[in-house]
Amino acid sequence: MTELLWPGDERAGEICSTASVLRALVRVEEAWLGILVEFAIAPAAAAGSLTGLVGPDDLPSVAAAAEAGGNPVIPLVALLRERLGEEAALWLHRGLTSQDVLDTALVCCLAEASDHVEDLVAAQARCVAGLAREHRDSVMAARTLTQYAVPSTFGLKAVSWLDGLASATTRLRTARSAMAVQVGGAAGTLSALAALAGPDRSPLAIGEALADRLGLLPARPWHTDRGTLTTLADALVAHGDAWGRIAGDVALLSRPEIAEVAEEVGGGSSTMPNKANPVLSILVRRHAMWAPHIGALLHSAAGMYVDERPDGAWHVEWDALRLLGRRTVVAASQAADLLGGLRVDAERMAARAREASSDLLAEQRSVSSLLPAGADGSYLGVSGELVDQGLMRAADVWEELR
């Protein structure tokens, strides 16, 4: 997959690619066909693997044919039936509707993306925790509204980054644990499945079996309640927020007139050989600016659901979810490289703080008349204690930080 205008897209590999969505659709159909056989709804002769029947070469034709029915499941099922044996073709997709297959397939793809993001964030947390420990007492100038404020430490800045990563990871784990299969049939009543199953077999139990096969939670039909998707989207967007904060700090502090941190390898310019642009920070910030709009789009769609399947609100979700999952993986990889190679110049930070001491200690002077003689003049407050507390909180999220 090649994305000319989203540099770094290849970092996601096949995660949430259109080809991976196609595979997930086939996986759902295959799992369902197997369950129909398992519950003796379909005959044993209908059993079989769908793997390899449809592949990337079929993407153009399936995509082109999707317009006629408004979704890709319709032409995919038709193509699979052409290539299956007669018995399997007869029972393929029975009891499901297109939304069941597409929603469940997208959840499977997003589960893979979420797991990958969590692994990458754990690596980021190790890097940031190391920076916080190393620079617990490394003095630097704190800045508010672009101007000098008071003395602080780089360790405190790093632990604030760590807090953001921990919060995002906690939200993602909660959302990931609630990712559920969608089985509702034509309008959420499971009417076709109930008819096929007969009085002795529970349609809900059959849906639970699909969840088990796919590694998802069983659930009542959620075809019009999109909380499963918006909760996950919010957790992914929260990662972009956390990374954007980190990347913004790095980009600002790497300006040549500040030069307190630097990316390990800066990017060059097409015309200015002297430049070492903070490219990873730039690309991570790009994602942080983009992702919230996709989250907002998904919430807008959720609020536009009508009837038992809406006209347009469902359709706008598909590629928005796919892109959010894929691009969050890309940003996670870029943020991991950024933090893994970050160079911190503690000596320059300390020197800058000394040079700016008149400004940085203005607040201290303003309250000096209220302090007893001989009061501590370091004016770092409880920075060290806050770093220690932040590291302890992070250890509750990632055991390897203990």
Side-chain angles (χ1 to χ4, degrees):
M1 187 171 180
T2 301
E3 288 287 347
L4 181 66
L5 300 181
W6 199 265
D9 176 77
E10 70 283 350
R11 287 173 177 260
E14 282 298 304
I15 295 175
C16 287
S17 66
T18 50
S20 73
V21 173
L22 184 67
R23 284 195 299 272
L25 293 170
V26 174
R27 181 185 171 204
V28 173
E29 293 285 4
E30 180 179 64
W32 185 250
L33 185 59
I35 285 166
L36 293 181
V37 173
E38 177 187 330
F39 278 79
I41 295 171
S49 173
L50 276 61
T51 304
L53 290 182
V54 174
D57 291 344
D58 295 302
L59 269 172
S61 61
V62 173
E67 185 177 14
N71 77 73
V73 177
I74 297 170
L76 174 63
V77 170
L79 184 60
L80 286 169
R81 283 176 174 158
E82 286 178 12
R83 296 176 180 178
L84 279 169
E86 182 177 349
E87 202 71 49
L90 178 65
W91 285 96
L92 180 75
H93 194 71
R94 298 300 182 188
L96 295 180
T97 194
S98 295
Q99 186 172 5
D100 295 331
V101 180
L102 192 44
D103 282 359
T104 302
L106 284 171
V107 167
C108 288
C109 290
L110 291 167
E112 181 185 16
S114 299
D115 292 344
H116 202 69
V117 167
E118 186 173 344
D119 289 343
L120 287 167
V121 175
Q124 295 166 25
R126 289 192 292 273
C127 292
V128 177
L131 290 172
R133 292 191 190 96
E134 180 181 356
H135 295 285
R136 179 184 185 276
D137 303 312
S138 297
V139 176
M140 68 177 297
R143 298 168 175 88
T144 61
L145 304 178
T146 75
Q147 305 299 302
Y148 287 134
V150 294
S152 184
T153 67
F154 186 72
L156 186 58
K157 182 179 288 292
V159 94
S160 74
W161 296 351
L162 192 59
D163 284 341
L165 295 176
S167 175
T169 288
T170 300
R171 292 179 67 176
L172 184 61
R173 287 175 180 172
T174 299
R176 173 67 178 87
S177 67
M179 295 180 76
V181 72
Q182 162 62 30
V183 179
T189 64
L190 293 168
S191 51
L193 183 58
L196 292 169
D200 298 327
R201 288 166 294 202
S202 165
L204 294 176
I206 297 170
E208 291 172 2
L210 179 64
D212 186 59
R213 286 205 181 196
L214 296 175
L216 301 173
L217 280 184
R220 294 172 58 249
W222 49 270
H223 55 303
T224 56
D225 176 6
R226 311 309 277 175
T228 292
L229 301 179
T230 56
T231 299
L232 177 64
D234 290 346
L236 294 175
V237 171
H239 282 80
D241 297 345
W243 297 326
R245 158 75 198 294
I246 295 169
D249 276 346
V250 172
L252 189 146
L253 294 176
S254 67
R255 288 173 180 260
E257 62 270 26
I258 299 177
E260 293 178 354
V261 303
E263 291 187 11
E264 188 171 34
V265 179
S269 164
S270 62
T271 60
M272 295 171 281
N274 59 300
K275 293 192 75 179
N277 297 322
V279 172
L280 289 173
S281 297
I282 291 166
L283 295 179
V284 169
R285 293 191 81 195
R286 163 200 65 179
H287 176 81
M289 296 174 192
W290 172 86
H293 298 283
I294 302 302
L297 173 63
L298 292 166
H299 278 284
S300 296
M304 293 294 290
Y305 262 65
V306 294
D307 299 323
E308 280 59 61
R309 188 167 303 109
D311 51 340
W314 176 49
H315 304 75
V316 79
E317 292 173 342
W318 311 335
D319 209 41
L321 287 164
R322 183 190 72 81
L323 279 175
L324 181 60
R326 182 171 182 82
R327 290 182 175 178
T328 303
V329 171
V330 172
S333 175
Q334 291 168 333
D337 284 355
L338 167 63
L339 290 166
L342 189 65
R343 298 200 300 266
V344 179
D345 191 336
E347 291 183 5
R348 188 174 180 89
M349 288 178 177
R352 180 63 51 79
R354 287 193 297 271
E355 292 168 6
S357 60
S358 178
D359 290 329
L360 294 176
L361 296 175
E363 183 188 69
Q364 183 187 43
R365 291 193 299 272
S366 75
V367 299
S368 60
S369 62
L370 305 175
L371 300 175
D376 180 15
S378 66
Y379 213 68
L380 285 172
V382 294
S383 297
E385 184 179 343
L386 291 171
V387 172
D388 297 340
Q389 289 179 354
L391 289 169
M392 290 174 63
R393 285 195 301 272
D396 291 336
V397 177
W398 298 283
E399 289 187 1
E400 60 266 36
L401 295 185
R402 292 179 180 170

